[in-house]
Amino acid sequence: MAQRIKARTGEVGGIPVARSLPTAGRRQIGAWCFLDHIGPVTFGEADTGLRVAPHPHIGLQTFTWMIDGELLHRDSLGTTQPIRPGEVNLMTAGHGVSHTEETIFGDRTLHAAQLWIALPEADRNILPSFDHYDTLPCWQDQGASWTLLTGEYGSRRADTLQYSPLIGLDIECTQPQDILLTLEPGFEYGILPLTGACIIGEERFDTDELAYLGDDFKQLTIHCEPSTRLLLIGGLPLRRDVVMWWNYVGYEREEIVEAETDWANHSARFGEIPAWPGERTEGPPSPWRR
Protein backbone atom coordinates (compact mmCIF):
# COMPACT_ATOMS: atom_id res chain seq x y z
CA MET A 1 0.00 0.00 0.00
CA ALA A 2 1.27 3.44 -0.92
CA GLN A 3 1.59 6.23 1.64
CA ARG A 4 -0.54 9.22 0.66
CA ILE A 5 1.10 12.64 1.09
CA LYS A 6 -1.11 15.61 0.28
CA ALA A 7 0.78 18.69 -0.80
CA ARG A 8 0.47 21.84 1.24
CA THR A 9 -0.04 25.16 -0.50
CA GLY A 10 2.62 27.83 -0.28
CA GLU A 11 3.98 30.72 -2.30
CA VAL A 12 7.31 31.25 -4.05
CA GLY A 13 8.15 34.48 -5.84
CA GLY A 14 4.51 35.55 -5.86
CA ILE A 15 3.28 32.27 -7.36
CA PRO A 16 1.24 29.60 -5.49
CA VAL A 17 3.01 26.25 -5.26
CA ALA A 18 2.06 22.78 -4.02
CA ARG A 19 4.80 21.39 -1.74
CA SER A 20 4.96 17.60 -1.33
CA LEU A 21 8.40 17.28 0.28
CA PRO A 22 9.46 17.66 3.00
CA THR A 23 6.45 16.90 5.22
CA ALA A 24 6.08 15.59 8.75
CA GLY A 25 5.31 12.15 7.35
CA ARG A 26 8.06 11.97 4.74
CA ARG A 27 11.29 13.96 4.73
CA GLN A 28 13.15 12.36 1.81
CA ILE A 29 12.80 9.91 -1.09
CA GLY A 30 16.32 8.72 -1.78
CA ALA A 31 18.34 11.93 -1.95
CA TRP A 32 15.31 13.92 -3.15
CA CYS A 33 14.50 16.16 -0.17
CA PHE A 34 12.26 18.89 -1.60
CA LEU A 35 9.48 18.92 -4.21
CA ASP A 36 7.46 21.94 -5.32
CA HIS A 37 4.88 21.78 -8.10
CA ILE A 38 4.43 25.22 -9.69
CA GLY A 39 1.27 25.86 -11.70
CA PRO A 40 -0.01 25.38 -14.25
CA VAL A 41 -0.78 29.08 -14.06
CA THR A 42 -1.64 31.78 -16.59
CA PHE A 43 -0.70 35.33 -15.68
CA GLY A 44 -2.94 38.33 -16.23
CA GLU A 45 -1.71 41.35 -18.12
CA ALA A 46 -0.97 43.19 -14.87
CA ASP A 47 0.91 40.28 -13.26
CA THR A 48 4.69 40.36 -13.02
CA GLY A 49 4.96 36.55 -13.00
CA LEU A 50 7.46 34.75 -10.82
CA ARG A 51 10.28 36.74 -9.23
CA VAL A 52 12.59 35.04 -6.74
CA ALA A 53 15.21 37.46 -5.37
CA PRO A 54 18.82 36.45 -4.59
CA HIS A 55 18.94 33.72 -1.96
CA PRO A 56 21.61 31.22 -0.83
CA HIS A 57 21.98 27.43 -0.90
CA ILE A 58 24.40 24.91 0.56
CA GLY A 59 24.68 21.12 0.50
CA LEU A 60 22.23 20.42 -2.31
CA GLN A 61 21.44 20.47 -6.02
CA THR A 62 18.46 22.50 -7.26
CA PHE A 63 16.65 20.64 -10.05
CA THR A 64 14.11 22.43 -12.28
CA TRP A 65 11.97 20.51 -14.81
CA MET A 66 10.17 22.94 -17.12
CA ILE A 67 6.84 21.85 -18.62
CA ASP A 68 5.37 25.14 -19.87
CA GLY A 69 6.59 28.74 -19.96
CA GLU A 70 10.12 30.07 -19.52
CA LEU A 71 12.24 31.14 -16.57
CA LEU A 72 15.54 32.99 -16.41
CA HIS A 73 18.14 31.65 -13.97
CA ARG A 74 21.02 33.83 -12.75
CA ASP A 75 23.58 32.85 -10.14
CA SER A 76 26.70 34.09 -8.37
CA LEU A 77 28.86 31.92 -10.64
CA GLY A 78 28.01 34.34 -13.46
CA THR A 79 25.44 32.07 -15.10
CA THR A 80 22.55 33.56 -17.08
CA GLN A 81 20.43 30.72 -18.46
CA PRO A 82 16.83 30.61 -19.73
CA ILE A 83 15.00 27.32 -19.25
CA ARG A 84 12.25 26.30 -21.67
CA PRO A 85 9.76 23.41 -21.88
CA GLY A 86 11.43 20.00 -22.00
CA GLU A 87 14.64 21.22 -20.32
CA VAL A 88 16.32 20.76 -16.95
CA ASN A 89 18.40 23.26 -14.98
CA LEU A 90 20.68 21.74 -12.34
CA MET A 91 22.62 23.93 -9.92
CA THR A 92 25.03 22.21 -7.54
CA ALA A 93 25.34 24.44 -4.49
CA GLY A 94 28.02 22.52 -2.60
CA HIS A 95 29.89 24.88 -0.27
CA GLY A 96 27.69 27.80 -1.23
CA VAL A 97 26.03 29.71 -4.07
CA SER A 98 23.22 32.22 -4.53
CA HIS A 99 20.78 32.58 -7.41
CA THR A 100 17.61 34.23 -8.74
CA GLU A 101 14.72 33.09 -10.93
CA GLU A 102 12.18 35.15 -12.81
CA THR A 103 9.60 34.82 -15.54
CA ILE A 104 10.90 35.97 -18.91
CA PHE A 105 9.19 39.20 -19.96
CA GLY A 106 6.08 38.59 -22.04
CA ASP A 107 5.64 34.92 -21.12
CA ARG A 108 2.18 34.47 -19.60
CA THR A 109 2.21 30.79 -18.59
CA LEU A 110 4.21 28.71 -16.13
CA HIS A 111 4.23 25.01 -15.22
CA ALA A 112 7.26 23.37 -13.62
CA ALA A 113 8.53 21.04 -10.94
CA GLN A 114 11.35 22.26 -8.71
CA LEU A 115 13.21 19.80 -6.54
CA TRP A 116 16.26 19.61 -4.30
CA ILE A 117 18.71 16.75 -4.15
CA ALA A 118 20.71 16.41 -0.93
CA LEU A 119 24.39 15.94 -1.68
CA PRO A 120 26.04 12.94 0.00
CA GLU A 121 27.85 13.80 3.20
CA ALA A 122 31.26 13.39 1.56
CA ASP A 123 30.33 15.78 -1.28
CA ARG A 124 28.37 18.44 0.57
CA ASN A 125 31.18 21.02 0.45
CA ILE A 126 32.25 20.64 -3.18
CA LEU A 127 32.69 23.74 -5.34
CA PRO A 128 29.41 25.04 -6.79
CA SER A 129 28.55 24.54 -10.46
CA PHE A 130 25.69 24.92 -12.92
CA ASP A 131 24.51 22.61 -15.73
CA HIS A 132 21.76 23.05 -18.30
CA TYR A 133 20.23 20.12 -20.23
CA ASP A 134 18.23 20.97 -23.34
CA THR A 135 18.16 17.40 -24.69
CA LEU A 136 16.83 14.51 -22.63
CA PRO A 137 15.94 10.89 -23.55
CA CYS A 138 12.33 10.91 -24.84
CA TRP A 139 10.28 8.03 -26.24
CA GLN A 140 6.76 6.65 -26.80
CA ASP A 141 5.67 3.45 -25.07
CA GLN A 142 2.46 1.93 -23.71
CA GLY A 143 0.39 4.78 -25.14
CA ALA A 144 2.36 7.40 -23.19
CA SER A 145 5.15 9.94 -23.73
CA TRP A 146 8.19 9.32 -21.50
CA THR A 147 11.03 11.69 -20.61
CA LEU A 148 13.98 10.55 -18.51
CA LEU A 149 15.09 13.54 -16.45
CA THR A 150 17.95 11.91 -14.54
CA GLY A 151 19.35 8.44 -13.96
CA GLU A 152 18.68 5.26 -15.91
CA TYR A 153 15.54 3.46 -17.04
CA GLY A 154 15.80 0.25 -19.03
CA SER A 155 18.46 0.79 -21.70
CA ARG A 156 18.23 4.59 -21.51
CA ARG A 157 20.43 6.91 -19.51
CA ALA A 158 20.23 10.68 -18.94
CA ASP A 159 23.42 12.74 -18.85
CA THR A 160 22.23 14.73 -15.83
CA LEU A 161 24.99 15.09 -13.23
CA GLN A 162 24.47 12.86 -10.19
CA TYR A 163 26.22 12.35 -6.88
CA SER A 164 23.76 9.68 -5.67
CA PRO A 165 21.93 6.86 -7.50
CA LEU A 166 18.65 8.53 -8.54
CA ILE A 167 15.90 8.48 -11.10
CA GLY A 168 13.51 11.19 -12.29
CA LEU A 169 10.92 10.30 -14.94
CA ASP A 170 8.05 12.24 -16.54
CA ILE A 171 5.18 10.18 -18.02
CA GLU A 172 2.34 11.86 -19.92
CA CYS A 173 -0.89 10.12 -20.97
CA THR A 174 -3.53 11.90 -23.05
CA GLN A 175 -5.95 8.91 -22.97
CA PRO A 176 -6.81 6.42 -20.20
CA GLN A 177 -3.88 4.02 -20.03
CA ASP A 178 -2.33 1.28 -17.91
CA ILE A 179 1.41 1.83 -17.45
CA LEU A 180 3.75 -0.96 -16.33
CA LEU A 181 6.79 0.39 -14.49
CA THR A 182 9.99 -1.57 -13.96
CA LEU A 183 11.62 -0.46 -10.70
CA GLU A 184 15.17 -0.74 -9.40
CA PRO A 185 15.66 -3.07 -6.39
CA GLY A 186 16.74 -1.11 -3.32
CA PHE A 187 15.35 2.21 -4.58
CA GLU A 188 12.49 3.91 -2.76
CA TYR A 189 9.99 5.70 -4.99
CA GLY A 190 7.39 8.42 -5.09
CA ILE A 191 4.84 9.17 -7.82
CA LEU A 192 3.17 12.57 -8.08
CA PRO A 193 0.37 13.39 -10.54
CA LEU A 194 1.18 16.83 -11.93
CA THR A 195 -2.10 16.83 -13.86
CA GLY A 196 -4.98 14.38 -13.86
CA ALA A 197 -5.03 11.38 -11.55
CA CYS A 198 -3.84 7.79 -11.33
CA ILE A 199 -4.81 4.57 -9.58
CA ILE A 200 -2.16 2.56 -7.77
CA GLY A 201 -3.48 -0.75 -6.51
CA GLU A 202 -7.00 0.20 -5.52
CA GLU A 203 -6.18 3.76 -4.44
CA ARG A 204 -6.77 6.87 -6.50
CA PHE A 205 -4.22 9.69 -6.31
CA ASP A 206 -5.31 13.11 -7.55
CA THR A 207 -3.14 15.99 -8.72
CA ASP A 208 -0.63 16.97 -6.01
CA GLU A 209 -1.18 13.81 -3.96
CA LEU A 210 2.22 12.12 -3.68
CA ALA A 211 2.26 8.32 -3.48
CA TYR A 212 5.26 7.02 -1.52
CA LEU A 213 5.99 3.44 -2.56
CA GLY A 214 8.98 2.47 -0.44
CA ASP A 215 11.44 -0.07 -1.85
CA ASP A 216 9.29 -3.21 -2.02
CA PHE A 217 8.38 -3.12 -5.71
CA LYS A 218 10.13 -4.58 -8.76
CA GLN A 219 7.23 -3.89 -11.11
CA LEU A 220 4.14 -1.77 -10.69
CA THR A 221 1.09 -1.17 -12.87
CA ILE A 222 -0.48 2.28 -12.69
CA HIS A 223 -3.76 3.25 -14.32
CA CYS A 224 -3.66 6.80 -15.66
CA GLU A 225 -6.86 8.74 -16.20
CA PRO A 226 -7.20 11.05 -19.27
CA SER A 227 -4.81 14.02 -19.45
CA THR A 228 -2.57 12.69 -16.68
CA ARG A 229 1.07 13.65 -16.24
CA LEU A 230 3.12 11.78 -13.64
CA LEU A 231 6.44 12.64 -12.04
CA LEU A 232 8.28 9.60 -10.71
CA ILE A 233 11.26 10.13 -8.42
CA GLY A 234 13.37 7.52 -6.68
CA GLY A 235 16.76 6.60 -5.37
CA LEU A 236 18.76 4.70 -2.82
CA PRO A 237 17.87 5.82 0.72
CA LEU A 238 20.49 8.09 2.25
CA ARG A 239 22.45 6.63 5.15
CA ARG A 240 21.62 9.69 7.27
CA ASP A 241 18.70 12.06 7.47
CA VAL A 242 19.63 15.56 6.39
CA VAL A 243 19.15 18.73 8.42
CA MET A 244 17.17 21.40 6.55
CA TRP A 245 16.39 25.01 7.32
CA TRP A 246 15.16 27.60 4.83
CA ASN A 247 17.39 27.09 1.73
CA TYR A 248 20.15 25.16 3.48
CA VAL A 249 20.77 21.41 3.58
CA GLY A 250 23.42 19.78 5.76
CA TYR A 251 24.10 16.95 8.16
CA GLU A 252 24.78 18.96 11.32
CA ARG A 253 22.98 21.96 12.79
CA GLU A 254 26.29 23.79 13.03
CA GLU A 255 26.56 23.76 9.23
CA ILE A 256 23.23 25.55 8.95
CA VAL A 257 24.15 28.16 11.56
CA GLU A 258 27.46 28.85 9.83
CA ALA A 259 25.70 29.37 6.49
CA GLU A 260 23.12 31.67 8.10
CA THR A 261 25.88 33.77 9.62
CA ASP A 262 27.81 33.95 6.35
CA TRP A 263 24.72 35.06 4.40
CA ALA A 264 23.80 37.67 7.00
CA ASN A 265 27.37 39.04 6.89
CA HIS A 266 27.44 39.21 3.06
CA SER A 267 30.28 36.68 2.98
CA ALA A 268 32.06 36.11 -0.32
CA ARG A 269 31.05 32.47 0.11
CA PHE A 270 27.71 33.18 -1.60
CA GLY A 271 28.91 35.78 -4.11
CA GLU A 272 26.79 38.45 -5.74
CA ILE A 273 24.33 38.78 -8.64
CA PRO A 274 24.89 42.33 -9.93
CA ALA A 275 22.23 42.05 -12.66
CA TRP A 276 19.39 41.68 -10.13
CA PRO A 277 17.56 45.03 -9.87
CA GLY A 278 16.42 44.77 -6.28
CA GLU A 279 17.03 43.59 -2.75
CA ARG A 280 18.14 40.11 -1.80
CA THR A 281 16.12 37.73 0.40
CA GLU A 282 16.84 37.54 4.12
CA GLY A 283 15.94 34.20 5.64
CA PRO A 284 14.25 33.39 8.94
CA PRO A 285 16.69 32.63 11.80
CA SER A 286 16.95 28.97 12.68
CA PRO A 287 16.13 27.81 16.22
CA TRP A 288 19.78 26.77 16.65
CA ARG A 289 21.26 30.20 16.05
CA ARG A 290 22.30 32.01 19.22
Side-chain angles (χ1 to χ4, degrees):
M1 179 179 293
Q3 177 188 7
R4 186 185 304 272
I5 301 169
K6 293 186 178 182
R8 64 188 189 277
T9 302
E11 185 178 291
V12 173
I15 302 298
V17 301
R19 183 161 297 167
S20 298
L21 288 177
T23 67
R26 177 63 46 192
R27 307 298 295 176
Q28 300 157 208
I29 298 177
W32 302 99
C33 61
F34 181 93
L35 170 53
D36 270 2
H37 178 207
I38 304 174
V41 62
T42 300
F43 306 120
E45 290 299 324
D47 294 335
T48 58
L50 181 138
R51 280 177 57 83
V52 181
H55 61 281
H57 288 290
I58 65 165
L60 58 84
Q61 293 176 294
T62 62
F63 187 105
T64 302
W65 164 233
M66 184 59 62
I67 299 167
D68 193 18
E70 296 185 19
L71 289 176
L72 180 65
H73 165 100
R74 292 189 181 103
D75 61 41
S76 55
L77 303 173
T79 308
T80 299
Q81 177 63 60
I83 179 173
R84 300 180 173 89
E87 300 178 349
V88 163
N89 273 358
L90 182 69
M91 184 180 72
T92 303
H95 183 64
V97 73
S98 60
H99 76 128
T100 67
E101 288 179 302
E102 59 185 315
T103 305
I104 292 179
F105 180 78
D107 205 312
R108 312 312 302 169
T109 61
L110 182 60
H111 191 196
Q114 292 198 314
L115 305 98
W116 295 354
I117 303 165
L119 289 169
E121 192 170 4
D123 298 307
R124 69 189 188 280
N125 282 314
I126 59 175
L127 292 175
S129 63
F130 178 86
D131 296 280
H132 173 75
Y133 301 91
D134 58 7
T135 302
L136 298 163
C138 300
W139 68 98
Q140 300 290 318
D141 187 33
Q142 303 180 61
S145 299
W146 302 61
T147 304
L148 183 59
L149 311 180
T150 187
E152 299 180 6
Y153 189 81
S155 61
R156 295 175 173 88
R157 180 181 182 278
D159 293 332
T160 321
L161 176 66
Q162 290 190 349
Y163 289 87
S164 302
L166 292 173
I167 187 171
L169 189 60
D170 179 281
I171 306 169
E172 184 181 17
C173 300
T174 57
Q175 302 297 324
Q177 186 68 45
D178 286 340
I179 299 293
L180 176 63
L181 291 172
T182 301
L183 304 179
E184 184 72 22
F187 275 30
E188 55 183 353
Y189 287 91
I191 296 175
L192 179 68
L194 299 175
T195 60
C198 68
I199 297 173
I200 302 174
E202 297 180 354
E203 296 185 85
R204 185 175 187 270
F205 290 83
D206 289 314
T207 300
D208 293 324
E209 290 187 332
L210 175 66
Y212 173 71
L213 303 176
D215 58 2
D216 298 329
F217 296 89
K218 293 183 179 179
Q219 287 190 324
L220 181 68
T221 298
I222 300 174
H223 177 73
C224 294
E225 297 185 0
S227 302
T228 292
R229 184 175 213 126
L230 302 178
L231 177 66
L232 179 144
I233 58 174
L236 284 177
L238 291 176
R239 294 182 179 180
R240 292 183 60 186
D241 289 341
V242 298
V243 179
M244 295 179 60
W245 182 262
W246 192 40
N247 297 310
Y248 308 121
V249 171
Y251 289 88
E252 304 291 345
R253 293 176 178 179
E254 291 77 12
E255 297 174 65
I256 307 301
V257 172
E258 181 183 18
E260 286 184 284
T261 303
D262 287 344
W263 179 248
N265 292 336
H266 293 255
S267 166
R269 173 182 187 179
F270 294 109
E272 301 287 344
I273 307 172
W276 181 260
E279 299 296 321
R280 67 179 201 161
T281 304
E282 303 298 340
S286 75
W288 317 302
R289 188 175 180 184
R290 297 178 181 176

